[in-house]
């Protein structure tokens, strides 16, 4: 049975809806951009979390930011993919949630992002909350509430 089956929206926590870290594709801060692009293309995701060597969350990197970095005047400078590292291009200005945060806080955070990272108090990566998970839960709530 789903963790949220019989819960009211006000009782649901971000941790109930998140995809846990073991199931999330990620890259490491010192990986070459070539590796990050491979992970993104193979997984089909537009962006993934960036973790440091101790599995703390440090940012997010996506296909668009990588392709922009290697875009020259007339061609993609593919050689840059092996010269540059993820930390040189990643976005560090990202929102972050805790597993204990409320559904409403998650809903608010997800308005401007397809996914938001979840980390514990020390910054260790716990998983991600996707817009899809929030929308699915809202749909379930609408269908089960007597209108
Ligand atoms: P979705 O809601 O499944 O369309 O996912 C939205 C975005 O969340 C994707 O484009 C990815 O950037 C990210 N995402 C979703 N699931 C995963 C996953 N298992 N691993 C890494 N990133 C993910």
């Amino acid at each position: 049975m789903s963790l949220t089956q019989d819960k009211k929206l006000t009782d649901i926590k971000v941790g109930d809806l998140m995809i846990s870290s073991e199931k999330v594709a990620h890259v490491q801060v010192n990986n070459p951009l070539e590796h990050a692009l491979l992970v993104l293309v193979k997984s089909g995701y537009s962006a993934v979390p960036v973790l440091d060597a101790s599995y703390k969350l440090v940012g997010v990197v996506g296909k668009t930011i990588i392709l922009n970095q290697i875009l020259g005047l007339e061609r993609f400078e593919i050689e840059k993919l092996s010269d540059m590292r993820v930390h040189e291009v990643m976005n560090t200005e990202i929102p972050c949630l805790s597993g204990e945060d409320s559904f409403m806080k998650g809903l608010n955070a997800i308005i401007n992002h397809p996914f938001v990272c979840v980390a514990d108090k020390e910054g260790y990566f716990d998983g991600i909350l996707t817009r899809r998970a929030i929308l699915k839960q809202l749909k379930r709530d609408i269908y089960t509430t007597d209108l």
Side-chain angles (χ1 to χ4, degrees), residues 24-30 40 47-52 55-62 65 86-96 115-119 123-125 127-128:
V24 177
H26 72 272
V27 295
Q28 299 270 325
V29 75
N30 279 321
L40 288 162
V48 292
V50 181
L51 308 184
D52 71 11
Y55 290 87
K56 283 190 176 178
L57 176 68
V58 286
V60 165
V61 73
I65 214 168
V86 167
H87 66 83
E88 296 176 70
V89 307
M90 68 185 183
N91 180 13
T92 54
E93 302 289 306
I94 52 162
C96 183
F115 75 96
V116 172
C117 294
V118 184
Y124 290 103
F125 180 61
I128 58 170

Side-chain angles (χ1 to χ4, degrees), residues 19 23-26 44-49 114-115 128 130-133:
I19 302 175
K23 296 182 189 146
V24 177
H26 72 272
Y45 297 129
S46 46
V48 292
F115 75 96
I128 58 170
T130 62
R131 201 179 271 161
R132 181 197 299 264

Side-chain angles (χ1 to χ4, degrees), residues 84-133:
M84 294 180 74
R85 310 258 150 191
V86 167
H87 66 83
E88 296 176 70
V89 307
M90 68 185 183
N91 180 13
T92 54
E93 302 289 306
I94 52 162
C96 183
L97 291 163
S98 143
E100 284 305 304
D101 285 336
S102 66
F103 178 86
M104 284 311 290
K105 192 162 177 192
L107 171 61
N108 213 34
I110 217 75
I111 287 173
N112 291 318
H113 307 271
F115 75 96
V116 172
C117 294
V118 184
D120 71 10
K121 284 194 196 81
E122 279 86 46
Y124 290 103
F125 180 61
D126 279 337
I128 58 170
L129 178 68
T130 62
R131 201 179 271 161
R132 181 197 299 264

